[in-house]
Amino acid sequence: MSVKLMIRAGLALLLATSGLPASARAYPTDPLGSPMWQAHARTLFGDDPVRFDPRVRVAFPAIAENQRVFPVAVDARGIGGVVRIILFADLNPIPVAIDYRPQAAEPYLATRIKLDQRTPVRAAVQLADGQWLVSGRWIDAAGGGCSAPPVSRVKGDWAQHLGEMRGEAWPTGPGASRLRVTFRHPMDTGLVDNIPTYHLEALTVKSGGGRVLGSMEIWASVAEDPAITLLPKAGAGEPLRIEARDTNGRDYRAAVTVAKQSAPAR
Amino acid sequence: MRIDRRTLLGGFAACFALPAIAAPPDYRIDPVAVADGIWMIHGADAPIEPGNGGAIANIAIIDTPAGTVLCDSGPSLRYGRALRMVAEKLTGKPVARVYVTHLHPDHGMGIAAFDPAIVAALPGTIDDMRRDGRGFSDAMYRMLNDWMRGTELVLPGQPIISDVEDFGGRRLRLIALSGHSAADLALVDERTGLLVGGDLLFHDRAPSTPTADLSAWRASLDRLAALDHKATIPGHGPFDPSGREAIAQTRDWLDWLEATLTEAVRSGLDMVEAGDLPIPDRFATMAAARYELQRSVSHLYPGIEARLLPRIDEPAD
């Protein structure tokens, strides 16, 4: 790129960022200084009020040992009235990983995502009154989490295992449980080797009677072979149903009964 | 703020000029005599990071009648060159042999400074390096930048097929093991009984598991424990004059790690929580313990989940 072109591109960028429509909402200044904060805030939050709040706990390891499988846990149990949790990484080509509505579940979500480069990893939780509380941190990562082929594509065995689900549910207190579900799924991002986007896109947890306890939309930035941990309000011995669907329309169904006895450490 | 062409150009120039301002960093290489004609260079007991230039692995220098023998070569061309100078000055003899104990780049990328014909490794290690070396090299350049300058991926030219090598009367026993990786070399100097354990042995530094097979690793520790060796140079951490402590500590950590992660999966923890589990007080002397626990969670947890969590899916319609 010539210097002239670089200047032109730079000026265009300045214009683009300073020439926002007058009606655009002013979002709080990002403590992480992310170049994508304003853009993501506009897309995700629109005109809803937004503030940064450390009570939204976003926990992840100190290093991204594997940029294809980076564990993240979002815990908003310290906040009342949470209706929605969005997990996203600013600089991923597919920023949002999960958009979760804990209808009858504690506002907690743990999963694993891909990281395409050093990026803020954040959670935004929405309260019943519409306002969003946001928290997160930067994590350094080697490139390619979203743009390297999934292991099962390289091995070539993804189709033999597609649809395998594992899981278990443990009681954590009266009417409360911890559910873990894993899937075998390549979670293709569409950014690799002409392999089209193919990923789980929806998951619902229901009570035995069919009541929705939690539901989420899922994007391809969730790691291959997704693993999801939720805290549905279901007591010991109660049956849970898990229903999911991928972008090819394949349905996934599983049943788990909350164990009678628990051994959870927390 | 007014942005004009000059400010922009100045900004670009500053960006490009920055790397050139930094002086090339130097490694401090301090060999310590640990046995008759053997020195150990104690790597930083820390993760690979810019502050240490990746010089975290221990290295042994052995003075033999046939020349200087090195066990492992450090992370980079710059390290390998400095190592050769230090070692040859110490012994007064040129380097005749460089052993690479296993595939990991903190041990093997320094061979770029040597003639591949004198670099020996187990055949499995050479295969591993052929397969993974490029990826390791990319990761090292990303983490260490200028420290790595000029370092090319070089493969050892000499596959180890015998179990002893004689250097003008100083005999080194070569033991082919595995577990930390698919091929781990341990080495015993027959004259002094000193064992160079490679990364099968960690001492006061938490073991790392990116390519580990824990049961094979334990079997290898059994083999090492049964040797009649005296002292031990571990792959990471301080010299072990007892020859037993590093073996026991490594086994203790691996046993604890596997039991802890297994129990974590059984009790419903996710990876983040497993990586935050308390580390017992008896490992308080181990450097990088939390760091390695979180890495091990990344390496091992999905496999344990796949083994222990029951299938719950119903047949698709």
Side-chain angles (χ1 to χ4, degrees):
Chain A
M1 195 191 255
S2 75
V3 172
K4 210 174 206 172
L5 263 177
M6 287 173 86
I7 294 171
R8 206 172 282 162
L11 286 175
L13 196 69
L14 280 172
L15 284 175
T17 47
S18 59
L20 301 177
S23 63
R25 190 178 180 89
Y27 300 103
T29 306
D30 178 17
L32 303 183
S34 162
M36 291 301 289
W37 164 247
Q38 294 288 338
H40 288 324
R42 231 175 1 255
T43 310
L44 297 175
F45 314 133
D47 287 334
D48 297 332
V50 180
R51 64 189 164 86
F52 291 96
D53 190 325
R55 289 178 303 162
V56 178
R57 289 193 55 244
V58 182
F60 49 72
I63 61 153
E65 172 68 9
N66 182 350
Q67 69 270 30
R68 302 172 186 203
V69 186
F70 182 65
V72 184
V74 181
D75 189 348
R77 283 177 290 178
I79 307 166
V82 172
V83 296
R84 198 171 161 197
I85 299 175
I86 297 181
L87 171 63
F88 66 106
D90 288 35
L91 301 183
N92 267 355
I94 304 163
V96 174
I98 285 181
D99 182 350
Y100 174 44
R101 293 169 194 270
Q103 282 95 339
E106 294 292 332
Y108 176 96
L109 162 71
T111 189
R112 295 148 206 182
I113 65 172
K114 298 165 188 161
L115 299 172
D116 211 47
Q117 62 171 83
R118 182 174 186 267
T119 176
V121 172
R122 312 193 203 237
V125 310
Q126 190 174 32
L127 307 185
D129 66 5
Q131 69 169 316
W132 290 93
L133 312 180
V134 182
S135 179
R137 290 199 314 284
W138 282 91
I139 181 72
D140 190 24
C146 297
S147 43
V151 173
S152 62
R153 288 266 178 207
V154 176
K155 279 167 80 176
D157 68 346
W158 68 271
Q160 282 103 281
H161 298 284
L162 187 71
E164 290 180 15
M165 296 170 68
R166 294 177 181 275
E168 216 165 336
W170 300 260
T172 56
S177 67
R178 162 178 285 252
L179 169 67
R180 300 205 64 224
V181 183
T182 68
F183 294 81
R184 292 295 306 269
H185 202 289
M187 298 298 282
D188 295 306
T189 57
L191 305 173
V192 186
D193 290 349
N194 286 332
I195 300 168
T197 307
Y198 178 45
H199 60 87
L200 289 178
E201 62 175 6
L203 178 146
T204 304
V205 179
K206 294 180 177 172
S207 70
R211 194 163 67 98
V212 174
L213 305 179
S215 58
M216 64 176 64
E217 292 173 48
I218 300 173
W219 278 265
S221 47
V222 167
E224 178 183 11
D225 297 340
I228 292 169
T229 304
L230 305 174
L231 303 179
K233 290 178 181 164
E238 284 187 48
L240 294 171
R241 290 200 55 76
I242 298 131
E243 300 174 2
R245 189 186 62 243
D246 72 20
T247 50
N248 277 7
R250 190 190 191 288
D251 286 322
Y252 301 80
R253 301 193 190 291
V256 184
T257 300
V258 181
K260 290 277 192 335
Q261 302 255 322
S262 74
R266 62 186 78 180
Chain B
M1 179 177 161
R2 204 174 74 90
I3 303 279
D4 60 19
R5 186 190 166 100
R6 185 168 301 161
T7 340
L8 277 174
L9 283 175
F12 285 129
C15 294
F16 293 134
L18 265 175
I21 293 167
D26 273 322
Y27 291 102
R28 260 192 60 202
I29 297 181
D30 294 320
V32 174
V34 292
D36 177 24
I38 303 183
W39 293 262
M40 170 176 143
I41 299 162
H42 185 176
D45 294 327
I48 293 171
E49 55 199 17
N52 55 41
I56 64 167
N58 292 339
I59 289 163
I61 302 170
I62 306 174
D63 181 8
T64 79
T68 304
V69 173
L70 300 175
C71 297
D72 285 331
S73 59
S76 62
L77 173 68
R78 186 176 299 157
Y79 190 97
R81 283 183 176 156
L83 170 66
R84 177 158 69 181
M85 261 175 41
V86 167
E88 291 183 346
K89 200 168 149 208
L90 205 57
T91 61
K93 295 172 197 144
V95 172
R97 169 70 73 226
V98 182
Y99 292 108
V100 177
T101 56
H102 64 291
L103 79 159
H104 292 152
D106 49 329
H107 297 259
M109 289 202 73
I111 63 173
F114 299 88
D115 175 359
I118 65 162
V119 178
L122 294 171
T125 298
I126 299 173
D127 291 344
D128 285 349
M129 290 174 79
R130 190 177 290 120
R131 190 192 60 227
D132 293 342
R134 185 58 55 199
F136 281 137
S137 174
D138 289 350
M140 293 293 274
Y141 268 90
R142 193 185 81 82
M143 285 188 284
L144 299 174
N145 299 303
D146 197 57
W147 290 102
M148 296 300 294
R149 187 183 296 179
T151 308
E152 296 285 346
L153 176 67
V154 175
L155 295 180
Q158 189 76 51
I160 296 172
I161 42 170
S162 76
D163 52 7
V164 68
E165 195 164 7
D166 191 322
F167 295 93
R170 188 157 200 169
R171 284 161 52 90
L172 302 178
R173 271 161 60 200
L174 308 175
I175 310 168
L177 299 166
S178 68
H180 175 71
S181 71
D184 295 295
L185 175 68
L187 188 148
V188 177
D189 171 51
E190 289 192 345
R191 183 197 296 178
T192 60
L194 184 115
L195 164 68
V196 179
D199 272 8
L200 290 169
L201 297 182
F202 284 70
H203 186 211
D204 287 343
R205 201 283 187 194
S208 72
T209 59
T211 49
D213 172 337
L214 296 184
S215 50
W217 196 337
R218 275 190 282 261
S220 292
L221 291 173
D222 289 342
R223 291 269 309 275
L224 293 181
L227 294 175
D228 53 355
H229 66 281
K230 305 275 190 301
T232 294
I233 293 181
H236 296 266
F239 180 65
D240 175 10
S242 76
R244 304 292 145 192
E245 196 176 300
I247 297 175
Q249 221 182 42
T250 303
R251 170 182 292 278
D252 192 13
W253 174 275
L254 296 182
D255 288 349
W256 169 78
L257 178 71
E258 191 165 38
T260 301
L261 297 189
T262 301
E263 182 52 31
V265 170
R266 285 216 171 97
S267 63
L269 301 192
D270 197 273
M271 283 169 77
V272 175
E273 297 161 318
D276 283 340
L277 284 171
I279 297 169
D281 288 343
R282 67 180 190 278
F283 297 127
T285 57
M286 279 194 170
R290 176 67 56 192
Y291 168 81
E292 291 298 350
L293 170 60
Q294 293 189 347
R295 291 185 74 204
S296 292
V297 167
S298 174
H299 308 145
L300 305 172
Y301 214 71
I304 302 175
E305 287 173 338
R307 218 169 51 238
L308 294 184
L309 292 178
R311 281 284 287 275
I312 56 171
D313 50 289
E314 296 169 351
D317 306 332

